[in-house]
Amino acid sequence: MWIIAIGWIYVVALMAATESTVIAGIMTFFGYCVLPMSLLFYLTGGKKRRARRQAQAAAHKDKDDAAPED
């Protein structure tokens, strides 16, 4: 997936470089690259975030179980 993302960034950077003004180039880059790619990586990373959250909760629970009670 990373190679596709890098290729897409390259294509969009070339598209942005051919725009008539700098502002149009920046808007093209953000509209076609930054926003869609960030949404894509957020949506595809959901399982990793959930697993990390569960691992942290389990570690926190183990830590609480191991603590001596006064």
Side-chain angles (χ1 to χ4, degrees):
M1 182 157 158
W2 285 105
I3 191 72
I4 294 170
I6 292 168
W8 183 248
I9 291 168
Y10 177 74
V11 168
V12 174
L14 291 178
M15 286 173 48
T18 61
E19 292 289 342
S20 58
T21 64
V22 173
I23 298 298
I26 292 170
M27 294 303 291
T28 298
F29 191 76
F30 272 89
Y32 285 110
C33 185
V34 174
L35 296 175
M37 294 296 280
S38 62
L39 179 66
L40 176 70
F41 283 123
Y42 177 76
L43 292 175
T44 58
K47 289 182 181 178
K48 291 179 187 176
R49 283 192 307 276
R50 189 177 317 117
R52 189 178 318 131
R53 223 176 317 144
Q54 289 175 347
Q56 286 176 347
H60 184 69
K61 184 177 183 234
D62 290 342
K63 183 179 174 185
D64 288 343
D65 290 343
E69 295 184 22
D70 292 326

